[in-house]
Amino acid sequence: MPRNAPLLAAPPPARPPSQRRRDGARRHGGIPRLSRPARTGSRYSGRTGRPGARDWRNLLVSFVHSVVAGAWAVVGVWIMPEMFADLVHTTPSSGHLLLCFSGGKGGCPELKSHVNAVSGLCSGIFRNRFVAAGLVLLLVEVSNIFLTVRMLLRLGNLPFHTLYRINKYLNVTFYFVFRVAPQAYLTWYFFRFVEMEGQGAYLMVHLVLLDAMIMSYCLRLLRSDFCVNSQRRDPGEEKFLMD
Protein backbone atom coordinates (compact mmCIF):
# COMPACT_ATOMS: atom_id res chain seq x y z
CA MET A 1 0.00 0.00 0.00
CA PRO A 2 1.46 3.43 -0.86
CA ARG A 3 2.78 5.38 2.11
CA ASN A 4 0.57 8.43 1.44
CA ALA A 5 -2.67 6.48 0.91
CA PRO A 6 -5.48 7.37 3.38
CA LEU A 7 -6.21 4.81 6.08
CA LEU A 8 -10.04 5.24 5.77
CA ALA A 9 -12.02 5.80 2.62
CA ALA A 10 -13.75 9.13 2.38
CA PRO A 11 -17.52 8.92 3.09
CA PRO A 12 -19.77 9.19 0.05
CA PRO A 13 -21.33 12.57 -0.58
CA ALA A 14 -24.70 13.12 1.05
CA ARG A 15 -27.68 12.76 -1.28
CA PRO A 16 -30.12 15.64 -1.59
CA PRO A 17 -33.54 15.19 0.06
CA SER A 18 -35.30 14.88 -3.29
CA GLN A 19 -33.08 11.95 -4.25
CA ARG A 20 -33.73 10.22 -0.89
CA ARG A 21 -37.49 10.56 -1.40
CA ARG A 22 -37.25 9.06 -4.89
CA ASP A 23 -35.18 6.13 -3.59
CA GLY A 24 -37.71 5.52 -0.80
CA ALA A 25 -40.56 5.56 -3.32
CA ARG A 26 -38.80 2.92 -5.45
CA ARG A 27 -38.33 0.62 -2.44
CA HIS A 28 -42.04 0.85 -1.54
CA GLY A 29 -43.52 0.19 -4.95
CA GLY A 30 -43.56 3.78 -6.16
CA ILE A 31 -45.45 5.10 -3.07
CA PRO A 32 -43.41 7.50 -0.96
CA ARG A 33 -43.40 6.85 2.75
CA LEU A 34 -45.18 9.37 4.91
CA SER A 35 -43.69 10.47 8.17
CA ARG A 36 -45.58 9.36 11.26
CA PRO A 37 -47.05 12.00 13.54
CA ALA A 38 -45.09 12.53 16.71
CA ARG A 39 -46.36 10.89 19.88
CA THR A 40 -47.24 13.58 22.35
CA GLY A 41 -49.01 11.44 24.91
CA SER A 42 -52.35 12.91 23.88
CA ARG A 43 -55.32 10.86 22.75
CA TYR A 44 -56.20 13.41 20.13
CA SER A 45 -56.04 12.60 16.44
CA GLY A 46 -53.32 13.57 14.02
CA ARG A 47 -51.37 16.81 14.24
CA THR A 48 -54.32 19.07 14.84
CA GLY A 49 -54.41 18.53 18.61
CA ARG A 50 -58.19 18.32 18.37
CA PRO A 51 -60.36 15.57 19.86
CA GLY A 52 -61.20 12.78 17.46
CA ALA A 53 -64.43 10.89 16.93
CA ARG A 54 -63.38 8.25 19.44
CA ASP A 55 -62.95 10.84 22.21
CA TRP A 56 -66.41 12.32 21.63
CA ARG A 57 -67.98 8.86 21.40
CA ASN A 58 -66.46 7.79 24.72
CA LEU A 59 -67.67 10.98 26.40
CA LEU A 60 -71.19 10.64 25.04
CA VAL A 61 -71.39 6.98 26.10
CA SER A 62 -70.17 7.91 29.58
CA PHE A 63 -72.62 10.80 29.82
CA VAL A 64 -75.66 8.75 28.79
CA HIS A 65 -74.70 5.93 31.11
CA SER A 66 -74.11 8.32 34.01
CA VAL A 67 -77.52 9.95 33.57
CA VAL A 68 -79.38 6.63 33.36
CA ALA A 69 -77.44 4.77 36.07
CA GLY A 70 -77.25 7.77 38.40
CA ALA A 71 -81.00 8.41 38.31
CA TRP A 72 -81.65 4.68 38.63
CA ALA A 73 -79.42 4.40 41.72
CA VAL A 74 -80.97 7.44 43.42
CA VAL A 75 -84.51 6.14 42.86
CA GLY A 76 -83.53 2.67 44.11
CA VAL A 77 -82.03 4.05 47.33
CA TRP A 78 -85.00 6.38 47.80
CA ILE A 79 -87.54 3.55 47.45
CA MET A 80 -85.66 1.11 49.70
CA PRO A 81 -83.63 3.03 52.32
CA GLU A 82 -83.61 0.05 54.68
CA MET A 83 -80.93 -1.53 52.52
CA PHE A 84 -78.32 0.49 54.45
CA ALA A 85 -78.95 -1.75 57.47
CA ASP A 86 -77.97 -4.89 55.55
CA LEU A 87 -75.84 -4.33 52.45
CA VAL A 88 -74.99 -8.02 52.20
CA HIS A 89 -78.29 -9.91 51.92
CA THR A 90 -80.71 -7.19 50.78
CA THR A 91 -81.40 -7.82 47.08
CA PRO A 92 -83.66 -5.20 45.47
CA SER A 93 -84.76 -6.21 41.99
CA SER A 94 -83.99 -2.76 40.62
CA GLY A 95 -80.47 -3.02 42.02
CA HIS A 96 -79.94 -6.37 40.34
CA LEU A 97 -80.93 -4.95 36.95
CA LEU A 98 -78.77 -1.87 37.49
CA LEU A 99 -75.69 -4.00 38.24
CA CYS A 100 -76.27 -5.91 35.00
CA PHE A 101 -76.66 -2.66 33.07
CA SER A 102 -73.47 -1.16 34.51
CA GLY A 103 -71.54 -4.38 34.01
CA GLY A 104 -72.40 -4.29 30.31
CA LYS A 105 -71.19 -0.70 30.08
CA GLY A 106 -67.85 -1.60 31.62
CA GLY A 107 -67.38 -4.30 29.00
CA CYS A 108 -66.97 -1.75 26.20
CA PRO A 109 -63.44 -1.85 24.74
CA GLU A 110 -62.98 1.89 25.28
CA LEU A 111 -63.90 1.69 28.99
CA LYS A 112 -61.41 -0.83 30.35
CA SER A 113 -60.56 1.49 33.22
CA HIS A 114 -63.84 0.39 34.89
CA VAL A 115 -62.70 -3.23 35.12
CA ASN A 116 -62.00 -2.90 38.84
CA ALA A 117 -65.53 -1.78 39.72
CA VAL A 118 -67.19 -4.04 37.15
CA SER A 119 -65.49 -7.19 38.44
CA GLY A 120 -66.79 -6.41 41.92
CA LEU A 121 -70.30 -5.76 40.63
CA CYS A 122 -70.35 -8.99 38.64
CA SER A 123 -69.47 -11.00 41.74
CA GLY A 124 -72.61 -9.60 43.38
CA ILE A 125 -74.71 -10.47 40.34
CA PHE A 126 -73.67 -14.14 40.18
CA ARG A 127 -73.55 -14.78 43.94
CA ASN A 128 -76.73 -12.77 44.65
CA ARG A 129 -75.02 -11.06 47.59
CA PHE A 130 -73.88 -7.47 48.14
CA VAL A 131 -76.40 -6.24 45.55
CA ALA A 132 -77.43 -3.40 47.86
CA ALA A 133 -73.75 -2.47 48.29
CA GLY A 134 -73.40 -2.31 44.52
CA LEU A 135 -76.46 -0.08 44.29
CA VAL A 136 -74.97 2.32 46.84
CA LEU A 137 -71.65 2.23 45.00
CA LEU A 138 -73.34 3.26 41.75
CA LEU A 139 -74.47 6.55 43.29
CA VAL A 140 -71.10 7.66 41.98
CA GLU A 141 -72.69 7.99 38.53
CA VAL A 142 -74.46 11.16 39.67
CA SER A 143 -71.04 12.73 40.20
CA ASN A 144 -69.89 11.42 36.82
CA ILE A 145 -72.55 13.54 35.10
CA PHE A 146 -70.83 16.77 36.14
CA LEU A 147 -67.36 15.36 35.54
CA THR A 148 -68.36 14.52 31.97
CA VAL A 149 -69.90 17.97 31.41
CA ARG A 150 -66.62 19.47 32.65
CA MET A 151 -64.64 17.35 30.21
CA LEU A 152 -66.94 18.24 27.32
CA LEU A 153 -66.45 21.96 27.98
CA ARG A 154 -62.67 21.65 28.26
CA LEU A 155 -62.17 19.19 25.43
CA GLY A 156 -64.18 21.25 22.98
CA ASN A 157 -62.80 24.61 24.20
CA LEU A 158 -66.37 25.89 24.35
CA PRO A 159 -66.70 29.58 25.31
CA PHE A 160 -69.21 28.97 28.11
CA HIS A 161 -67.20 30.43 30.97
CA THR A 162 -70.20 31.04 33.23
CA LEU A 163 -71.49 27.51 32.69
CA TYR A 164 -68.04 26.10 33.41
CA ARG A 165 -67.79 28.12 36.64
CA ILE A 166 -71.21 26.94 37.82
CA ASN A 167 -70.43 23.35 36.89
CA LYS A 168 -67.10 23.60 38.73
CA TYR A 169 -68.80 24.19 42.07
CA LEU A 170 -71.57 21.69 41.40
CA ASN A 171 -68.94 19.16 40.37
CA VAL A 172 -66.95 19.33 43.59
CA THR A 173 -70.16 19.36 45.70
CA PHE A 174 -71.62 16.27 44.05
CA TYR A 175 -68.19 14.63 44.12
CA PHE A 176 -68.21 14.68 47.91
CA VAL A 177 -71.93 13.89 48.29
CA PHE A 178 -72.27 11.06 45.76
CA ARG A 179 -68.72 9.72 45.49
CA VAL A 180 -66.76 10.30 48.69
CA ALA A 181 -69.63 9.88 51.19
CA PRO A 182 -71.03 6.56 49.80
CA GLN A 183 -67.51 5.20 49.45
CA ALA A 184 -66.69 6.13 53.05
CA TYR A 185 -69.89 4.47 54.32
CA LEU A 186 -69.17 1.29 52.32
CA THR A 187 -65.61 1.12 53.65
CA TRP A 188 -66.82 1.58 57.24
CA TYR A 189 -69.57 -1.02 56.80
CA PHE A 190 -67.23 -3.63 55.33
CA PHE A 191 -64.65 -3.16 58.08
CA ARG A 192 -67.37 -3.37 60.74
CA PHE A 193 -69.80 -6.06 59.59
CA VAL A 194 -68.43 -8.09 56.64
CA GLU A 195 -66.39 -11.23 57.13
CA MET A 196 -62.89 -10.97 55.68
CA GLU A 197 -62.97 -14.24 53.77
CA GLY A 198 -64.28 -15.41 50.44
CA GLN A 199 -66.35 -12.87 48.55
CA GLY A 200 -66.18 -10.37 51.41
CA ALA A 201 -62.38 -10.28 51.31
CA TYR A 202 -62.42 -10.08 47.52
CA LEU A 203 -64.76 -7.07 47.57
CA MET A 204 -62.79 -5.46 50.39
CA VAL A 205 -59.65 -5.42 48.23
CA HIS A 206 -61.57 -3.73 45.41
CA LEU A 207 -63.05 -1.25 47.87
CA VAL A 208 -59.63 -0.22 49.19
CA LEU A 209 -58.35 0.24 45.64
CA LEU A 210 -61.35 2.42 44.84
CA ASP A 211 -60.70 4.47 47.98
CA ALA A 212 -57.18 5.23 46.79
CA MET A 213 -58.40 6.12 43.28
CA ILE A 214 -61.14 8.41 44.58
CA MET A 215 -58.78 10.32 46.86
CA SER A 216 -56.26 10.71 44.04
CA TYR A 217 -58.96 11.96 41.66
CA CYS A 218 -60.24 14.36 44.31
CA LEU A 219 -56.81 15.94 44.84
CA ARG A 220 -56.25 16.33 41.10
CA LEU A 221 -59.69 17.84 40.61
CA LEU A 222 -59.17 20.40 43.38
CA ARG A 223 -55.72 21.26 42.11
CA SER A 224 -56.96 21.71 38.56
CA ASP A 225 -60.02 23.87 39.28
CA PHE A 226 -59.27 25.71 42.51
CA CYS A 227 -55.50 26.19 42.74
CA VAL A 228 -53.71 29.27 41.45
CA ASN A 229 -51.70 27.33 38.87
CA SER A 230 -54.76 25.60 37.42
CA GLN A 231 -54.41 27.56 34.18
CA ARG A 232 -51.53 25.29 33.19
CA ARG A 233 -52.95 22.20 31.50
CA ASP A 234 -51.70 18.89 32.82
CA PRO A 235 -51.07 16.40 29.96
CA GLY A 236 -52.39 13.53 32.07
CA GLU A 237 -55.57 15.33 33.10
CA GLU A 238 -57.52 14.42 29.95
CA LYS A 239 -56.87 10.73 30.61
CA PHE A 240 -57.96 11.10 34.22
CA LEU A 241 -61.22 12.72 33.17
CA MET A 242 -61.89 10.23 30.39
CA ASP A 243 -61.66 7.30 32.82
Side-chain angles (χ1 to χ4, degrees), residues 82-94:
E82 60 271 15
M83 72 175 64
F84 286 97
D86 185 5
L87 296 177
V88 180
H89 300 99
T90 304
T91 309
S93 57
S94 61

Side-chain angles (χ1 to χ4, degrees), residues 94-109:
S94 61
H96 213 287
L97 293 175
L98 179 56
L99 295 188
C100 295
F101 174 72
S102 296
K105 176 253 190 178
C108 296

Side-chain angles (χ1 to χ4, degrees), residues 40-157:
T40 60
S42 172
R43 301 171 69 174
Y44 298 161
S45 58
R47 299 180 179 177
T48 60
R50 297 176 180 176
R54 179 182 176 183
D55 301 304
W56 291 110
R57 183 177 67 249
N58 291 348
L59 281 175
L60 292 176
V61 169
S62 296
F63 182 76
V64 172
H65 175 268
S66 297
V67 171
V68 175
W72 197 337
V74 170
V75 172
V77 171
W78 181 270
I79 293 176
M80 200 173 184
E82 60 271 15
M83 72 175 64
F84 286 97
D86 185 5
L87 296 177
V88 180
H89 300 99
T90 304
T91 309
S93 57
S94 61
H96 213 287
L97 293 175
L98 179 56
L99 295 188
C100 295
F101 174 72
S102 296
K105 176 253 190 178
C108 296
E110 297 87 356
L111 299 169
K112 292 301 183 183
S113 61
H114 295 271
V115 66
N116 184 30
V118 169
S119 58
L121 295 178
C122 289
S123 69
I125 294 173
F126 295 119
R127 300 290 299 274
N128 204 27
R129 298 176 71 228
F130 299 98
V131 175
L135 185 62
V136 174
L137 180 65
L138 286 174
L139 289 173
V140 69
E141 296 296 342
V142 179
S143 172
N144 285 342
I145 296 174
F146 299 93
L147 279 174
T148 308
V149 171
R150 177 186 185 274
M151 189 59 193
L152 286 168
L153 295 174
R154 298 195 69 167
L155 191 64
N157 290 324

